[in-house]
Amino acid sequence: MERRAAACVDLAPRGRVKIFAHRGNIDGPDLANENRLAQVGGALARGYGLETDVRYAAGRGFYISHDPAAPSGESLLAAHCALWRRHPEATIALNVKELGQERALLEALNALRVVPQLFLFDMELIEPTAGVTARLYRRFDAAVTIAARVSDRGEPLERALAIEVASAIWLDEFDGPWATADTVGRLKAAGKAVYAVSPELHGRPLEAAEARWRDFAAWGVDGICTDWPALLAAQHG
């Protein structure tokens, strides 16, 4: 694959919190429609970014789904990328769910002309040694943008900052609110964009999510991933 210089995803929210629609949801969780083209299209049309998941099926190629499934025309990566390209201003947070197809995934994303608007993340959850897959992606393509994970489950700031190819941070709070203004400040001082996961995605009530949105906004995070983009936009967009 031809290597290109300088990742070009717009990681700066230009003074506003960037909102990522979790699997395309807009007004709360919607298991029946999440990651479907109509749902994703609606979120992108409203100006939100998107968090979604990419998988691979032998003989069918890459597809969009949180869980393993039989790929269909509705879920094939090509169909989703065609939709993303119609909203070039939208940032796509692409959760990599499997290892072993790194070169092929980059080749597909480049062929589908979406690399400039996305970043790859969550490889640390499935790899034996954190950072190995991120560096592999960067070796294959110098232009791809990568986010490293920080969480309360053995994923400290120091480890994420040591993944030098990552220009963004995916800040997750699995078991409760652990991050502080200092956490975000240290990451921002290191030159990282900081994208935070909203608490309701880990089963906490919406009221807790709204309180955390206020914290995140006050601390200067660059974006928040949520099932409630419309509500978040009304409060902090």
Side-chain angles (χ1 to χ4, degrees):
M1 178 182 297
E2 179 184 357
R3 294 184 63 183
R4 297 166 291 146
C8 48
V9 170
D10 177 14
L11 295 175
R14 295 187 178 89
R16 300 189 348 174
V17 176
K18 190 185 292 289
I19 298 173
F20 292 89
H22 179 241
R23 305 179 196 167
N25 293 329
I26 297 173
D27 292 304
D30 186 353
L31 292 175
N33 292 298
E34 65 179 28
N35 280 331
R36 296 183 66 84
L37 289 171
Q39 185 90 330
V40 170
L44 296 177
R46 294 178 68 162
Y48 307 133
L50 171 70
E51 186 277 341
T52 192
D53 312 280
V54 63
R55 291 187 171 275
Y56 179 81
R60 297 299 307 275
F62 294 99
Y63 66 103
I64 298 297
S65 178
H66 179 261
D67 299 311
S72 66
E74 170 77 19
S75 65
L76 291 178
L77 178 64
H80 283 260
C81 288
L83 180 58
W84 303 347
R85 288 197 305 270
R86 293 204 288 273
H87 302 274
E89 75 291 344
T91 300
I92 311 299
L94 194 57
N95 187 323
V96 177
K97 304 299 287 188
E98 297 153 349
L99 301 177
Q101 300 293 330
E102 290 79 20
R103 187 187 293 273
L105 177 59
L106 287 172
E107 289 175 347
L109 294 171
N110 275 291
L112 293 164
R113 308 191 308 281
V114 293
V115 168
Q117 68 184 106
L118 61 79
F119 64 86
L120 305 176
F121 78 103
D122 258 13
M123 290 82 73
E124 299 97 314
L125 289 178
I126 54 175
E127 63 185 352
T129 303
V132 169
T133 306
R135 295 182 184 100
L136 188 60
Y137 278 123
R138 177 52 50 80
R139 191 174 80 211
F140 289 149
D141 190 338
V144 67
T145 302
I146 295 164
R149 289 186 54 80
V150 169
S151 85
D152 49 344
R153 292 189 178 179
E155 297 174 313
L157 272 69
E158 292 75 14
R159 192 186 81 167
L161 292 173
I163 302 175
E164 73 288 344
V165 298
S167 54
I169 296 293
W170 194 257
L171 191 156
D172 215 343
E173 297 182 313
F174 283 106
D175 300 316
W178 64 267
T180 66
D182 181 67
T183 306
V184 175
R186 289 177 60 190
L187 294 169
K188 300 281 282 184
K192 310 296 185 182
V194 180
Y195 300 131
V197 175
S198 185
E200 86 281 357
L201 299 186
H202 294 309
R204 291 190 286 284
L206 182 56
E207 293 78 9
E210 292 180 285
R212 208 55 172 155
W213 296 347
R214 291 191 289 273
D215 291 336
F216 290 149
W219 299 341
V221 302
D222 298 276
I224 300 172
C225 176
T226 179
D227 273 334
W228 295 89
L231 182 59
L232 175 55
Q235 297 180 11
H236 299 282

